[in-house]
């Protein structure tokens, strides 16, 4: 193969990787503190119909670690409605062009705030549809094979990232449970000790009063 062929092949591979990294996914990953009685909404615009929206959320702290979730499409069409959920991972269809809303509602809490970690993705899947026989062995076929490998690697990394977030949410909930249990044990022990001291002082007072009354009666 000539030098010009090598250069063309390299440029084609770089262009494929660059295009894939730029246009595969549009993502928004945020952490938001939802106050009591607050409804917080976030929006995603779909410019092409029949795309897929990836939606992940997890309550990291606050109350019973639950929150109400509602997803609506253009025209206020309801797509997803969840009540008192701790976390979720969904792939939703964006059938129409327009604005999609993702809302978190904390109406059930009187004073507890909820810290929510969530991610919204609008996926652009451009995968090669040719079979192995149709691809051939030229630079274009090799670039398509690399495109497919990168796409699979991206999916695996997304799964690992979601798994890490899942374990982080569980760790936060378990840590909060430990802290809550520790506080309850502390206040229970303090109350128990205070009651023992009060009962001891009361017993001393009763005994002292009894003997003082007995001496007066005897005199």
């Amino acid at each position: 193969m000539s030098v010009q062929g090598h250069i063309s092949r390299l440029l084609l591979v770089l262009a494929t990787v660059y295009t894939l990294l730029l246009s595969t996914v549009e993502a928004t990953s945020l952490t938001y503190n939802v106050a009591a009685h607050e409804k917080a909404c976030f929006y995603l615009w779909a410019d092409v119909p029949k795309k897929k929206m990836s939606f992940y959320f997890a309550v990291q702290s606050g109350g019973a670690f639950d929150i109400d979730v509602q997803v609506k499409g253009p025209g206020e069409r309801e797509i997803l409605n969840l009540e008192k959920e701790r976390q979720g991972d969904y792939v939703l269809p964006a059938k129409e062009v327009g604005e999609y809303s993702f809302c978190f509602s904390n109406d059930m809490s009187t004073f507890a705030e909820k810290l929510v970690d969530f991610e919204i993705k609008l996926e652009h899947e451009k995968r090669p549809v040719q079979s192995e026989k149709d691809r051939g062995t030229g630079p274009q076929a090799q670039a398509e094979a690399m495109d497919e490998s990168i796409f699979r690697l991206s999916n695996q990394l997304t799964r690992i990232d979601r798994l890490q977030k899942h374990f982080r949410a569980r760790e936060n909930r378990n840590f909060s449970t430990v802290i809550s249990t520790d506080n309850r044990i502390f206040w229970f022990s303090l109350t128990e000790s205070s009651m023992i001291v009060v009962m001891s002082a009361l017993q001393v007072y009763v005994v002292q009063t009894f003997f003082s009354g007995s001496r007066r009666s005897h005199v």
Side-chain angles (χ1 to χ4, degrees), residues 75-114:
E76 296 297 317
R77 179 176 58 87
E78 186 174 87
I79 299 176
L80 183 67
N81 190 7
L82 305 173
E83 294 183 357
K84 296 183 178 181
E85 288 290 330
R86 292 187 170 186
Q87 67 182 57
D89 191 358
Y90 301 91
V91 177
L92 307 173
K95 298 180 180 180
E96 306 174 17
V97 175
E99 188 176 64
Y100 291 80
S101 63
F102 300 79
C103 297
F104 299 97
S105 177
N106 194 21
D107 289 335
M108 82 285 287
S109 297
T110 306
F111 57 87
E113 298 179 345
K114 306 291 179 64

Side-chain angles (χ1 to χ4, degrees), residues 42 73 153 171 211:
F42 302 86
L153 181 61
E171 180 184 6
F211 282 104

Side-chain angles (χ1 to χ4, degrees), residues 158-170:
T158 300
R159 292 177 183 175
I160 294 174
D161 181 61
R162 295 287 175 83
L163 190 61
Q164 288 178 337
K165 290 181 178 179
H166 170 73
F167 283 119
R168 186 178 68 176
R170 288 186 58 184

Side-chain angles (χ1 to χ4, degrees), residues 60-76:
Q60 300 293 342
S61 64
F65 293 87
D66 57 350
I67 200 164
D68 296 340
V69 181
Q70 190 175 46
V71 180
K72 291 185 178 181
E76 296 297 317

Side-chain angles (χ1 to χ4, degrees), residues 107-180:
D107 289 335
M108 82 285 287
S109 297
T110 306
F111 57 87
E113 298 179 345
K114 306 291 179 64
L115 186 65
V116 182
D117 182 19
F118 66 96
E119 186 178 66
I120 303 171
K121 289 184 179 180
L122 182 63
E123 300 182 358
H124 305 257
E125 297 190 1
K126 297 181 179 179
R127 303 181 60 181
V129 295
Q130 293 180 337
S131 62
E132 294 291 338
K133 294 181 180 180
D134 297 333
R135 287 178 182 175
T137 57
Q140 180 65 29
Q142 294 178 2
E144 291 176 352
M146 180 173 291
D147 187 10
E148 179 72 15
S149 299
I150 294 175
F151 185 84
R152 292 178 180 175
L153 181 61
S154 176
N155 287 339
Q156 293 296 329
L157 291 176
T158 300
R159 292 177 183 175
I160 294 174
D161 181 61
R162 295 287 175 83
L163 190 61
Q164 288 178 337
K165 290 181 178 179
H166 170 73
F167 283 119
R168 186 178 68 176
R170 288 186 58 184
E171 180 184 6
N172 290 338
R173 287 198 292 266
N174 293 337
F175 183 74
S176 178
T177 303
V178 171
I179 295 297
S180 176

